[in-house]
Amino acid sequence: MIYPIVKYGNAVLEKPAEPITEFGAELKKLVDDMFESMYEAKGVGLAAPQIGISKRLAVIDITFKEDPNAKLVLANPEIIYKEGKQTQSEGCLSIPEFREPVTRPNKVTVRAQDINGKWYEKTGEELLARAFLHETDHLNGKLYISHLSALKRDLIKRKIRKLIKAGEW
Ligand SMILES: [Zn+2]
C-alpha cells in the first residue's frame, strides 16, 4: 500500500515518535509499505512520521532499488558515533521542491533494530551518513531545516505559508 507523504505543517512531523516494541507481521507489512511509498515518492529514505505514523521506524535505500542489500530497516535507531564534516544539498519528501546545503558529520554509526528486532550497528559515510542523520532526526521530531540559519529557515517557512494559503501545499 502506498501512503501519501505528510507535508511540513503537520504536527506529527515535529514531535518525538514512540518506540517500536512489537516485531511481527504487522511491522513487516508497515516496512513493505514504507519502502513502496518511499520509491513512489522518489526518495532514498522515509521515516514513519512522514506517513503519519508516530513510531521510531525508518527505511533507507540510498541506491534507489539498484542494490537489494542496500535496503535498510531502522527501528529505534540512535546515532552512536559521528566524525568529520560534509556539506551537501539536502531535501525532504515532506518539504517538497526545496533543497538547501546542510553541513553534517561525514561518517556516522547508527545502532538500530532490524525487522526481527535484532540490534545491529552500521557505519555510513557521505550520503548514507546523511540518511542516517536525517531519518533519525525525523524520529526526534526534527526536520533538516532546523540545521539551516534562522534567516534561511524563516524564508522557507514564509514561502510554505504562502503555498498553504494558495492551496498549493
Ligand atoms: Zn525527511
Side-chain angles (χ1 to χ4, degrees), residues 47-169:
Q50 292 184 279
I51 54 166
I53 296 173
S54 195
K55 292 261 175 79
R56 301 188 75 79
L57 178 68
V59 296
I60 291 174
D61 176 5
I62 60 160
T63 73
F64 198 79
K65 302 185 196 175
E66 283 283 306
D67 176 6
N69 294 321
K71 286 177 77 173
L72 297 173
V73 175
L74 296 88
N76 303 318
E78 270 181 70
I79 303 296
I80 56 170
Y81 178 78
K82 305 178 197 181
E83 182 189 304
K85 237 187 208 185
Q86 57 165 320
T87 303
Q88 292 294 334
S89 168
E90 193 166 322
C92 178
L93 293 176
S94 295
I95 313 176
E97 311 294 327
F98 292 92
R99 287 194 80 80
E100 288 293 336
V102 180
T103 300
R104 293 193 184 262
N106 190 50
K107 185 176 177 182
V108 310
T109 302
V110 71
R111 181 171 184 268
Q113 282 169 285
D114 68 13
I115 189 76
N116 299 308
K118 189 171 177 264
W119 286 98
Y120 68 94
E121 285 179 16
K122 193 165 172 68
T123 299
E125 292 183 48
E126 299 175 1
L127 181 57
L128 187 55
R130 182 172 295 277
F132 286 157
L133 293 159
H134 182 113
E135 301 312 328
T136 305
D137 271 358
H138 267 303
L139 306 182
N140 294 324
K142 202 169 165 183
L143 298 163
Y144 83 89
I145 54 172
S146 68
H147 295 285
L148 305 176
S149 69
L151 197 72
K152 264 192 182 166
R153 184 168 55 246
D154 289 345
L155 187 66
I156 290 177
K157 285 185 179 178
R158 227 176 9 248
K159 285 183 182 164
I160 293 173
R161 270 199 294 274
K162 263 191 199 163
L163 289 169
I164 291 172
K165 257 192 198 158
E168 288 165 12
W169 187 249

